[in-house]
Amino acid sequence: MRATSKVFYSIATYLFVSLIVYILGVTFVKDDGYLYGPEWVGIVGMLLSIVLCLMLGGYLHFTDNRSDVLPEDWEEAETEDSAGILGFFSPSSIWPLAMTGSIALLGLGVIFLYYWLIALGAACLIAACTGLSLQYGLPKEKH
């Protein structure tokens, strides 16, 4: 069993202990004056969280057995062993800033429900995403 599956099994164990404390707390602590008994929405939500963590832990447990030793499972690994190729980042691109501004416009339009600002922000976001995607794909100017 590797580190990834142990993490999800540990989270499921913590959630199970929290569920027991939650059930005891909402069932036997009568501090609201009128409502007695368990609170089913919280109990079902925590049970589903436990099941989700167990499912993810089981999946990672079964798939980790079929793969090689990962750098985080190897005790003598260095930080550089798990660092992969990060990709190419343009040093002087204006498009991430343009995307940030257009997302801000779009967000302000949604917050204040200005349809014209939503349309303007969406158009600017489409233009900025297109510019970022085609930044190095367009041919150079010949003048």
Side-chain angles (χ1 to χ4, degrees):
M1 189 166 28
R2 302 223 178 127
T4 53
S5 58
K6 285 181 184 178
V7 166
F8 281 102
Y9 289 147
S10 302
I11 292 172
T13 306
Y14 170 75
L15 287 172
F16 180 73
V17 171
S18 298
L19 176 66
I20 299 300
V21 171
Y22 181 76
I23 289 172
L24 292 175
V26 299
T27 303
F28 297 116
V29 176
K30 298 172 180 24
D31 62 347
D32 55 359
Y34 69 95
L35 184 61
Y36 298 114
E39 199 273 315
W40 290 105
V41 174
I43 293 171
V44 170
M46 290 188 75
L47 275 174
L48 290 175
S49 299
I50 292 168
V51 169
L52 177 67
C53 287
L54 289 175
M55 286 171 41
L56 286 171
Y59 171 76
L60 291 172
H61 181 80
F62 290 129
T63 55
D64 283 345
N65 290 335
R66 296 185 189 104
S67 64
D68 293 334
V69 176
L70 297 174
E72 57 262 18
D73 295 324
W74 184 35
E75 292 187 12
E76 297 174 358
E78 297 291 329
T79 305
E80 296 86 20
D81 293 335
S82 65
I85 298 171
L86 296 177
F88 173 73
F89 296 102
S90 179
S92 61
S93 179
I94 194 67
W95 296 112
L97 182 64
M99 287 177 69
T100 305
S102 59
I103 289 171
L105 278 177
L106 188 63
L108 286 173
V110 169
I111 288 171
F112 295 115
L113 203 59
Y114 292 151
Y115 295 115
W116 61 272
L117 195 57
I118 293 172
L120 178 67
C124 290
L125 184 61
I126 289 170
C129 288
T130 304
L132 181 68
S133 299
L134 299 176
Q135 183 174 5
Y136 294 105
L138 295 176
K140 297 259 185 209
E141 300 284 337
K142 299 215 172 164
H143 54 82

